[in-house]
Amino acid sequence: MTQFFSTARLRPALLLSLSLGLGTAGAQSQSAPGHLAAAPQAAGFATAPAFPGGNLPHTFAPGTSALTLPVPSAALQPSGQPLPSGQLLPSGQPLPGPALAPSILSAPALNTPLLGQPADLLPASVPAASLPTPDSTQIRGLWVDGFGPGLKTAAQVQQMVDDAENMGVNVLVVQTVRRADCFCLKSSLPVVSDKDLQPGFDPLAEVLRLAKPRGIKVIAWASVTGIGNLGNLNSNPNHVYRLHGPQSKDPWLVVRQDGSWQEGNDAWLDPAIPEAARYISDGLLSVVKNYDVDGIQLDRIRYPDSGDWGYSPKTLYRYQLETGRQGRPSPSDEYFKAWKRDQVTGLVRRISVQAKAIRPELWVSAATIVYGSPPAAGDLKAFQSTASYRTVLQDWPKWMNEGLLDINMPMNYKRENVAQQAGWYDGWNRFAHSLQGRGLTASGSSIYLNGPQDSAAQAQRALQAGVGWVGYSYRTPTLAVYEDKQNAAAGREAVRQALAKTSLARPVRFDGPPPHTRGLLGTVAGQERLGGLKVELLQNDKVVATSVTDGGGFYGFMDVPAGETRVRVSGQAWKTRVPDKGIAQVPNLVIRKLSPVSAPAPSLAPAPGAPGAPNLAPPTPQELQRGGETPG
């Protein structure tokens, strides 16, 4: 149900609400108090504590490269008894330290309100959320990137927020993590290196200070795997590119078969390397911890284009260890593709569930790839023949189905004056809407590739398709601005006027809780092979959810039913309780005996051009040129 807000104080130009998308711009990163181990339970099950709110206090150590990872003071054995101090695990390794523990969570401090608690447990001073989850069409947004004016000085931020208000924007997706560095001062990542950035200035804090009192949501947008551009490397000696780049002794980069690692001028982290996944996840989570953002957006949450990636020694070793497959896989190996696709999904899961553990009311979104022509609405098999699924290895329909995303923002960057692409724009909106489940969809639209009237036409059709609208970008609001034929202020005014003639002219407030606020997370320990383990949740002796661990042993679930729950891994099980709202944390589960290895099931969908493959057009040159993300 749409909620309206008073426009008495707004200028007439505010008769327009843009939807804001979370994405990369362009055409298409003290040990907490230990938990008490529960007493042994019958039938060999251990009880793991569940915290009703899920929003547990946590710590961030300034000057470190990641959030400190609280560790249960005693890992649980299947019997429920803690391992004695200093005892070796079955693998012969000592009890795992912080690196194996789930990030962010720690035991609650006394008298600290838990904002994620069920309504009946909240202190009287904390009102329960009473609004319904908003509708997709209430999203009227704008991406704000950091590759030009908009975020680099206090004056630019003031102007940007004023412009957004004049345009009727109710969601700002603000570039926060650019290349494993931050447009902010209070995160575990280095500050961006930019000669135009005002010294000592905190762009994210200023955006929040100015936008939130005006009813504008602020979503922190992060380029998850992009960590460096050779034309503008971060100068901090502790930046991850300098510590784990191509010249380091412990590189974390994704590489091709021939060992090369550049995609254009860019360097990418490999999501299949556990240390890399944990590092960038913790960096973004430190933003959630330290800033009152309304949400986060995951961008570049994928592999680079071409498909010939994932050949670092660490990645190949993990693949063979977890699947039992031998030899060097080819780029077309469907088992290898399925495993790498799981690594991307695992990183989404790690970030999403841990972010909800900090604040269940946080909106989690992703800027997803929608290259070329779309499948028919609801046709998942056809989606498995697209470049999104087969090449960059994004299974975003799965992310929506598991409740890992609250909002899908497909980077639907199509030119309206090309009839074929205008049809693709509508088709991708229909497909995304058909698979959103309880989540929301907002169509990321390339206002930089279109004139104002064409952008307005796309925005109108997006709302008619039941999805929101997000424009890329504040810096390049029209094709003429992108081609240096118009100044940005004139372009924004032209877009405002064009949108004011559509149904977006009605001011709308995007408010209410996200659709996914309940879940469970934990880690396994005790074996060399921690990734790819099947994790089942059972309630009343029935499996209600299934997932797999990532390379660090992390697992997580969203949208599982509340109540008494058993977590079963490798034939062992532990008891816990999923709260009505918030995230239950399970202590380290020590695996005594591993189940046999098994490779993830390969896709049976035919490759493009093969017999039986759907007739889908390939990506456009513009899509591949920009890759769905901001240049620079």
Side-chain angles (χ1 to χ4, degrees):
M1 179 177 180
T2 302
Q3 289 106 62
F4 300 94
F5 63 103
S6 171
T7 59
R9 67 179 179 85
L10 305 181
R11 295 187 285 275
L14 265 185
L15 294 179
L16 160 66
S17 295
L18 289 173
S19 27
L20 159 63
L22 302 157
T24 15
Q28 279 227 76
S29 160
Q30 333 248 1
S31 180
H35 299 296
L36 296 179
Q41 302 294 309
F45 296 114
T47 299
F51 300 106
N55 185 20
L56 307 179
H58 46 277
T59 58
F60 167 67
T64 62
S65 62
L67 290 173
T68 55
L69 307 181
V71 187
S73 57
L76 294 183
Q77 305 179 69
S79 65
Q81 296 290 349
L83 283 171
S85 175
Q87 178 174 318
L88 295 183
L89 298 172
S91 62
Q93 298 297 318
L95 188 64
L100 290 176
S103 306
I104 303 303
L105 295 181
S106 67
L110 295 177
N111 302 319
T112 301
L114 301 182
L115 299 184
Q117 286 182 303
D120 59 345
L121 297 180
L122 285 173
S125 61
V126 182
S130 58
L131 295 173
T133 294
D135 180 80
S136 292
T137 59
Q138 291 172 247
I139 303 174
R140 317 289 175 83
L142 190 64
W143 272 296
V144 183
D145 68 49
F147 293 95
L151 293 174
K152 299 182 182 182
T153 69
Q156 287 182 15
V157 171
Q158 179 72 64
Q159 185 67 58
M160 182 271 292
V161 175
D162 287 347
D163 289 343
E165 185 178 41
N166 287 337
M167 297 175 76
V169 166
N170 60 18
V171 180
L172 283 172
V173 181
V174 178
Q175 188 157 44
T176 302
V177 179
R178 186 167 72 177
R179 301 187 193 100
D181 49 18
C182 194
F183 279 100
C184 69
L185 300 181
K186 296 185 293 184
S187 83
S188 62
L189 300 170
V191 178
V192 296
S193 297
D194 193 315
K195 63 181 178 57
D196 296 324
L197 183 63
Q198 179 180 326
F201 179 58
D202 192 323
L204 181 59
E206 187 68 358
V207 173
L208 289 165
R209 186 183 74 83
L210 296 175
K212 288 175 77 72
R214 309 186 198 199
I216 300 174
K217 300 291 187 187
V218 178
I219 295 174
W221 149 31
S223 176
V224 178
T225 57
I227 65 160
N229 181 281
L230 296 185
N232 185 23
L233 290 173
N234 191 288
S235 60
N236 191 310
N238 292 318
H239 186 269
V240 66
Y241 178 86
R242 300 184 183 278
L243 296 179
H244 297 284
Q247 306 304 319
S248 75
K249 295 180 180 179
D250 182 23
W252 293 352
L253 300 184
V254 62
V255 300
R256 298 183 182 89
Q257 275 199 104
D258 62 4
S260 62
W261 54 269
Q262 288 181 234
E263 191 208 28
N265 281 332
D266 289 348
W268 297 51
L269 287 178
D270 191 336
I273 296 176
E275 299 89 345
R278 189 160 46 236
Y279 176 86
I280 201 63
S281 173
D282 286 345
L284 181 52
L285 293 169
S286 72
V287 172
V288 175
K289 184 265 177 185
N290 288 308
Y291 293 87
D292 188 26
V293 294
D294 296 290
I296 56 175
Q297 172 145 80
L298 310 182
D299 187 25
R300 286 206 179 185
I301 186 73
R302 63 180 183 93
Y303 278 89
D305 293 321
S306 85
D308 183 19
W309 297 93
Y311 286 89
S312 76
K314 283 190 173 185
T315 299
L316 293 176
Y317 176 76
R318 268 199 64 212
Y319 172 67
Q320 294 167 352
L321 178 69
E322 294 176 12
T323 66
R325 297 180 66 81
Q326 301 299 315
R328 187 181 183 87
S330 71
S332 62
D333 186 317
E334 292 295 338
Y335 286 97
F336 191 39
K337 286 184 179 181
W339 183 83
K340 289 188 292 181
R341 197 176 296 116
D342 279 354
Q343 307 315 303
V344 177
T345 296
L347 183 52
V348 175
R349 185 180 294 116
R350 171 182 280 267
I351 295 172
S352 175
V353 183
Q354 291 191 130
K356 294 283 188 174
I358 299 171
R359 284 212 308 277
E361 299 287 334
L362 190 80
W363 287 85
V364 177
S365 69
T368 56
I369 295 293
V370 288
Y371 286 160
S373 59
D379 192 344
L380 277 173
K381 184 176 180 182
F383 176 76
Q384 293 183 5
S385 293
T386 65
S388 306
Y389 186 87
R390 298 185 62 87
T391 305
V392 301
L393 306 177
Q394 272 191 353
D395 191 357
W396 53 258
K398 179 183 178 73
W399 306 347
M400 295 298 288
N401 183 59
E402 287 192 14
L404 301 177
L405 299 183
D406 298 304
I407 310 174
N408 178 27
M409 292 189 182
M411 292 179 284
N412 201 0
Y413 298 164
K414 307 295 187 287
R415 296 174 184 265
E416 181 68 12
N417 63 359
V418 179
Q420 183 185 52
Q421 291 188 33
W424 293 353
Y425 178 86
D426 296 336
W428 277 114
N429 287 340
R430 288 190 295 268
F431 178 78
H433 182 264
S434 72
L435 296 172
Q436 70 181 22
R438 293 180 55 227
L440 280 63
T441 302
S443 183
S445 303
S446 54
I447 58 178
Y448 81 96
L449 287 178
N450 291 291
Q453 299 303 322
D454 286 342
S455 290
Q458 288 190 348
Q460 180 68 57
R461 297 204 310 277
L463 267 63
Q464 291 170 346
V467 303
W469 184 85
V470 181
Y472 179 76
S473 71
Y474 174 80
R475 178 175 58 90
T476 51
T478 67
L479 177 61
V481 173
Y482 181 61
E483 294 178 339
D484 292 325
K485 298 176 181 178
Q486 182 183 40
N487 70 61
R492 285 188 285 273
E493 175 59 17
V495 172
R496 184 200 67 76
Q497 292 182 16
L499 289 170
K501 299 174 183 178
T502 72
S503 60
L504 281 82
R506 183 178 60 182
V508 174
R509 184 158 180 162
F510 181 68
D511 215 345
H516 311 299
T517 60
R518 181 178 63 240
L520 176 149
L521 65 77
T523 53
V524 298
Q527 300 287 338
E528 179 185 14
R529 174 166 62 95
L530 296 176
L533 301 179
K534 183 178 181 180
V535 183
E536 297 174 311
L537 299 188
L538 296 89
Q539 295 178 348
N540 298 321
D541 295 324
K542 294 182 179 179
V543 176
V544 296
T546 303
S547 186
V548 294
T549 56
D550 70 8
F554 176 88
Y555 60 89
F557 297 85
M558 290 301 300
D559 263 9
V560 294
E564 296 295 328
T565 303
R566 285 186 292 151
V567 181
R568 186 165 64 190
V569 188
S570 199
Q572 303 164 229
W574 294 259
K575 283 185 179 180
T576 189
R577 180 177 180 82
V578 177
D580 292 327
K581 184 177 180 181
I583 308 298
Q585 181 194 15
V586 182
N588 274 354
L589 305 181
V590 178
I591 303 300
R592 295 297 184 186
K593 183 178 179 181
L594 285 172
S595 54
V597 297
S598 61
S603 171
L604 300 178
N615 186 24
L616 299 177
T620 66
Q622 293 81 15
E623 287 174 322
L624 292 179
Q625 176 187 358
R626 298 292 290 279
E629 284 93 20
T630 311

